[in-house]
Amino acid sequence: MKITDVRAIQPVGKNSPPDWRTSLGQILVAIDTDSGLTGYGVGGGGLAGIHVVKTVLRDLLLGQSPEDISRLWDEMYQSTLAFGRKGLAIMAISGVDLALWDLKGKAEKVPVVSLLGGQPGQQLPTYCTVWNTQDLESIDSHAGYKLHLGKVSNAGQQDEMIQAIETARTLIGPDPLLMVDAWMKWTVESTIAISRAIEPFQIDWIEEPLSPDDLAGYAQLSEQSAVPIAGGEHEFTAAAFTQLIDQKLHTVLQPDVCWCGGMTELIKIYKMANRAGLRVCPHRGAEIWALHAIAALDPHPLAETGRPWMTWVAGQPEIDGGLISVTDRPGWGLTFDEQSLELVY
């Protein structure tokens, strides 16, 4: 089997946010082969990511066998090294890598979860991300909930944030998990202060309180925060996660498989984290791409609800009673009617 084409488009997502998550949003990558099989994956980077796929990565992959995914990943990384390593180039590689895994599953007539050593059908618990406490008053049942505080995160709003977290715990009761997302907008000092104030509310983690580059700050938090620290959503490649893991800067690691380098890198991150005794909880894990890994590799599975605007990815498993599972369909178990997709670009 040989690769005959590598394509990329950016479909329109219903109610996609009017910010970088659309202008540099998720792209669909398709890899065609001479066997008639096409593999699909999702990466990021919008038009910039599409350009990387259609030029550097396509030129590299044409005529190659898609079977040795690890070798192809290394070649893609090396081919983008001068301008890549993090960010848009790795987002583009992620989509290609996931398409290669889809091809592998389709060629072997098994779902990706089986390629990873797991079994389809396992019921996995989910948690739901909300942007305000009002959403918690009428939300479906989940194992946990994450309150996103990115819109109320400056120093003058500290009391408001603490009150919102207390309100969230009151609304959901004592049993469900409760997490807080600071979206890289807090400081070391405010994180420590808030963590101590919210500790009585049984908070499972504070997510991304600092910039991903503030490793010294995260080292301080790992010692002084009263609540476990999570992060990694905006980190790229297993190599970058090595420092987070070796220094145990995060208790919970949250790679996004569509951004961090794809399934090939997510597998490495899981292995390193397991050896270090740390937890992996992939960003937006209920989306099909990470869900297969959670089902196969995670000793404590927990899947975050997906991006609600990714409406063009049809046929993903539905959450039912707070649980979700992957099917036994080959690859990711999805099909795409490319001709019917409305495109951003």
Side-chain angles (χ1 to χ4, degrees):
M1 183 165 55
K2 300 294 182 183
I3 295 172
T4 58
D5 202 2
V6 181
R7 300 176 286 111
I9 55 176
Q10 185 179 0
V12 171
K14 184 178 180 181
N15 297 322
S16 183
D19 56 27
W20 68 273
R21 289 170 293 178
T22 295
S23 59
L24 296 171
Q26 304 296 79
I27 62 174
L28 176 65
V29 177
I31 299 179
D32 301 322
T33 66
D34 59 4
S35 70
L37 293 176
T38 295
Y40 290 100
V42 166
L47 184 59
I50 290 171
H51 182 71
V52 174
V53 172
K54 286 186 172 182
T55 56
V56 177
L57 301 182
R58 181 179 184 274
D59 291 347
L60 172 71
L61 294 172
L62 284 181
Q64 294 219 52
S65 167
E67 296 173 14
D68 190 348
I69 300 175
S70 180
R71 177 183 60 79
L72 293 177
W73 195 96
D74 289 342
E75 291 182 6
M76 289 190 290
Y77 182 77
Q78 288 296 322
S79 72
T80 59
L81 193 58
F83 60 89
R85 297 179 57 247
K86 292 179 182 283
L88 295 175
I90 302 301
M91 289 179 168
I93 289 175
S94 301
V96 175
D97 180 82
L98 293 172
L100 289 169
W101 279 94
D102 190 38
L103 266 179
K104 184 175 179 64
K106 289 175 176 176
E108 298 186 20
K109 296 182 173 57
V110 297
V112 172
V113 63
S114 297
L115 296 176
L116 301 177
Q119 296 292 329
Q122 178 186 355
Q123 296 291 303
L124 307 172
T126 62
Y127 75 93
C128 183
T129 294
V130 300
W131 288 80
N132 57 70
T133 55
Q134 288 78 18
D135 290 339
L136 294 170
E137 297 176 1
S138 58
I139 203 165
D140 293 335
S141 174
H142 294 271
Y145 304 89
K146 185 178 73 177
L147 180 61
H148 203 300
L149 294 174
K151 294 181 179 179
V152 282
S153 57
N154 65 51
Q157 296 171 306
Q158 188 165 308
D159 289 342
E160 183 180 351
M161 288 187 283
I162 294 169
Q163 181 59 56
I165 295 165
E166 181 178 12
T167 299
R169 174 51 76 192
T170 300
L171 287 170
I172 66 175
D175 296 328
L177 305 173
L178 180 60
M179 293 74 81
V180 175
D181 192 337
W183 215 76
M184 307 175 286
K185 293 186 177 182
W186 294 2
T187 65
V188 170
E189 293 74 22
S190 65
T191 303
I192 293 171
I194 293 171
S195 74
R196 292 170 179 169
I198 66 176
E199 185 180 14
F201 308 139
Q202 301 168 270
I203 306 303
D204 287 84
W205 69 67
I206 296 173
E207 183 170 324
E208 278 197 316
L210 311 177
S211 163
D213 292 325
D214 190 0
L215 299 185
Y218 277 115
Q220 191 173 345
L221 292 182
S222 70
E223 297 179 352
Q224 298 184 39
S225 175
V227 173
I229 298 298
E233 168 187 341
H234 298 104
E235 193 53 272
F236 302 88
T237 76
F241 274 86
T242 299
Q243 189 169 8
L244 299 178
I245 293 169
D246 287 349
Q247 297 183 30
K248 297 192 174 180
L249 300 182
H250 299 332
T251 301
V252 182
L253 300 156
Q254 299 176 302
D256 187 311
V257 73
C258 297
W259 296 344
C260 75
M263 183 61 70
T264 299
E265 294 299 276
L266 183 58
I267 293 168
K268 297 175 187 176
I269 293 166
Y270 260 110
K271 289 179 178 178
M272 291 190 297
N274 288 340
R275 288 195 295 266
L278 299 176
R279 184 176 186 181
V280 178
C281 191
H283 178 241
R284 297 299 191 180
E287 293 180 355
I288 194 66
W289 327 103
L291 193 62
H292 283 256
I294 293 173
L297 305 176
D298 207 314
H300 305 288
L302 182 64
E304 181 187 13
T305 50
R307 299 165 179 85
W309 57 89
M310 292 287 289
T311 51
W312 51 269
V313 184
Q316 295 199 72
E318 302 242 342
I319 297 173
D320 185 8
L323 300 172
I324 192 170
S325 64
V326 296
T327 72
D328 60 359
R329 294 194 295 269
W332 302 119
L334 302 177
T335 57
F336 290 90
D337 182 3
E338 295 182 51
Q339 301 304 314
S340 69
L341 295 175
E342 181 184 357
L343 303 183
V344 176
Y345 299 111

